[in-house]
Amino acid sequence: MLRLLGRGISGGTQPIYTTRAHVFQIDPTTKKNWVPASKQAVTVSYFYDSTRNSYRIISVDGSKVIINSTITPNMTFTKTSQKFGQWADSRANTVFGLGFASEQQLTKFAEKFQEVKEAAKLARDKSQEKAETLSNHSQESGRETPSTNQASSINGTDDEKISHVSPEAAILKSENERLKSEVEQSNTNAKKWETELQTLRENNARLVDALQESSANVESWKKQLSACKEESDKLKEKIAELEAQCNEANQEKQRNSQLSVRVKELETELQDKEQELENLRKQAEIIPQLMAECETITTKLQAAETKNKELEGRIEGLQVEINDSRQKQGNMKGELKKFMDILDGKIDELHEFRQGLSKLGVDN
């Protein structure tokens, strides 16, 4: 297939535009899921086939042809996301998908697809016009030939026949020769197309075999995938169990660390208690001395209380004496006030007496 495609490309196919993309094909069974046709990004090119006057999209991955799609005016390239586009090929009975590295590459590919589709439409229209022209020329040549023969039989002399028929006969002869060459070329092209059709049929048979082999491989891969999924599920469960055990071990480590801290705290408290006990023992050794001193102090305290009571009695007597002295002092203040009042009266009288004496002295 690759050798035939290579001979076709070298025999008159010209590259128009080339890019790189990941190639996908629609799943033939589900018609929904995409199946990767390439393991990595491959070269995808637009080609113009001058011998067939057609446009194709071709992509080769190593020695495998993964895209050989002839573009027709009825095809449509659809953008399904920012970096993915697709088109349906009815001849190949599949849908191709391309994943690009950027949105700009997808946009450029879509624009080129539209340009090539328009070019394919123009090429088809020209082919139809050419076919119609050939058909019209063949019909006209069939109608004009009898009339020319009839005209030559009607005319009189041989000279008149030659002079009257020669220009039209030359035109018809050249036209017939041209039509013959075109018919021969059409026959040659038809044989070539039959050969290419046979080649395409053989290629299609090979592709069908490859597709069946791929389907068998897909079934095998599905079984392997299901086995891998089961093994993966088992491994996930095992991992979950190990994670749970690890979590329990971590929790146990945390508990052990907390217990270690608590043990250290208890050891510190025990040391403090032992120090307090030692201090109490030392204090217990001096308790008898303290008891003796306490008894001595108690005796002294009792003697002091006795003296205190005696002093309180004396204080009460002194308080009585103070009250008496205060009362006497109050009485003395009253008598002193009376004496001061009398003294003030006497002083006033003496002052008046002096004033009288001074008046008498002035009068004398």
Side-chain angles (χ1 to χ4, degrees):
M1 178 66 182
L2 186 60
R3 290 196 296 271
L4 291 172
L5 182 62
R7 288 199 296 270
I9 291 174
S10 62
T13 306
Q14 302 172 356
I16 300 173
Y17 174 76
T18 300
T19 185
R20 292 184 67 83
H22 291 272
V23 180
F24 299 86
Q25 287 187 8
I26 201 70
D27 191 345
T29 56
T30 62
K31 298 295 183 181
K32 293 181 180 180
N33 300 325
W34 288 106
V35 178
S38 62
K39 296 180 180 179
Q40 57 187 359
V42 295
T43 302
V44 181
S45 303
Y46 286 97
F47 283 91
Y48 172 65
D49 190 349
S50 59
T51 58
R52 302 179 185 179
N53 194 20
S54 62
Y55 295 87
R56 288 188 289 172
I57 299 176
I58 297 175
S59 178
V60 179
D61 185 9
S63 60
K64 179 182 178 182
V65 179
I66 54 179
I67 298 179
N68 185 11
S69 176
T70 302
I71 299 175
T72 63
N74 297 326
M75 287 185 178
T76 302
F77 185 81
T78 305
K79 296 180 182 179
T80 57
S81 67
Q82 293 182 350
K83 297 181 182 180
F84 192 86
Q86 66 183 45
W87 79 94
D89 190 344
S90 58
R91 294 182 180 179
N93 193 23
T94 187
V95 179
F96 294 101
L98 296 179
F100 295 89
S102 63
E103 186 177 0
Q104 290 79 9
Q105 292 180 356
L106 173 61
T107 303
K108 183 67 175 177
F109 189 89
E111 293 174 354
K112 187 60 65 175
F113 192 96
Q114 187 66 26
E115 293 176 5
V116 171
K117 187 173 77 170
E118 294 295 332
K121 183 178 180 181
L122 293 174
R124 185 188 66 178
D125 294 341
K126 288 181 180 179
S127 298
Q128 290 178 354
E129 290 176 0
K130 187 175 180 181
E132 291 175 358
T133 304
L134 291 174
S135 176
N136 292 331
H137 280 305
S138 62
Q139 291 176 2
E140 289 175 0
S141 63
R143 288 196 300 269
E144 289 175 357
T145 302
S147 62
T148 304
N149 294 330
Q150 185 178 1
S152 61
S153 62
I154 293 172
N155 292 327
T157 61
D158 294 336
D159 294 336
E160 290 176 353
K161 291 178 183 179
I162 294 170
S163 62
H164 183 71
V165 173
S166 293
E168 293 180 357
I171 293 172
L172 290 173
K173 185 177 180 181
S174 63
E175 184 68 22
N176 287 330
E177 289 178 355
R178 187 178 65 80
L179 289 173
K180 287 179 181 179
S181 64
E182 289 182 356
V183 169
E184 290 177 356
Q185 183 67 31
S186 298
N187 292 331
T188 304
N189 291 333
K191 292 180 180 179
K192 186 189 294 184
W193 291 338
E194 288 178 358
T195 304
E196 291 183 356
L197 181 60
Q198 184 64 28
T199 303
L200 289 175
R201 286 175 179 172
E202 293 176 357
N203 293 333
N204 286 333
R206 293 176 184 175
L207 289 174
V208 169
D209 294 337
L211 182 59
Q212 292 176 354
E213 184 179 357
S214 299
S215 300
N217 291 332
V218 166
E219 294 297 330
S220 175
W221 293 340
K222 284 182 179 179
K223 293 179 181 179
Q224 293 179 4
L225 181 61
S226 62
C228 289
K229 284 183 178 179
E230 291 177 358
E231 187 176 358
S232 177
D233 293 336
K234 292 179 181 179
L235 289 175
K236 286 180 179 179
E237 293 177 356
K238 187 66 175 177
I239 289 170
E241 292 177 359
L242 291 175
E243 287 179 350
Q245 293 177 1
C246 289
N247 291 330
E248 291 178 357
N250 291 329
Q251 292 177 0
E252 191 66 27
K253 286 181 180 178
Q254 291 179 357
R255 292 195 195 98
N256 290 334
S257 61
Q258 292 176 358
L259 290 173
S260 298
V261 172
R262 183 60 181 166
V263 167
K264 289 180 180 179
E265 291 177 355
L266 291 174
E267 288 178 352
T268 304
E269 292 179 0
L270 182 60
Q271 291 176 358
D272 294 338
K273 295 296 183 182
E274 288 178 351
Q275 186 65 36
E276 290 179 2
L277 183 60
E278 185 66 24
N279 294 330
L280 290 174
R281 287 175 181 175
K282 290 180 180 179
Q283 292 176 4
E285 292 177 356
I286 61 173
I287 284 175
Q289 297 177 0
L290 293 175
M291 292 295 291
E293 292 178 359
C294 183
E295 290 177 355
T296 305
I297 291 170
T298 302
T299 303
K300 291 179 179 180
L301 183 59
Q302 290 176 354
E305 288 179 353
T306 304
K307 290 181 179 180
N308 190 17
K309 288 180 179 180
E310 292 177 355
L311 290 172
E312 286 179 355
R314 291 180 182 178
I315 289 170
E316 289 178 356
L318 290 172
Q319 188 70 34
V320 172
E321 291 178 356
I322 288 169
N323 292 330
D324 293 339
S325 63
R326 283 180 179 175
Q327 188 176 2
K328 290 178 181 180
Q329 188 177 3
N331 294 331
M332 289 179 68
K333 283 182 179 179
E335 291 179 355
L336 182 60
K337 185 176 181 181
K338 290 180 181 179
F339 178 74
M340 290 296 293
D341 291 337
I342 294 170
L343 183 59
D344 289 335
K346 294 296 183 181
I347 290 171
D348 290 337
E349 289 178 357
L350 182 59
H351 182 66
E352 289 176 357
F353 180 71
R354 283 181 180 178
Q355 288 180 352
L357 289 176
S358 62
K359 287 180 181 181
L360 289 176
V362 172
D363 292 335
N364 294 326

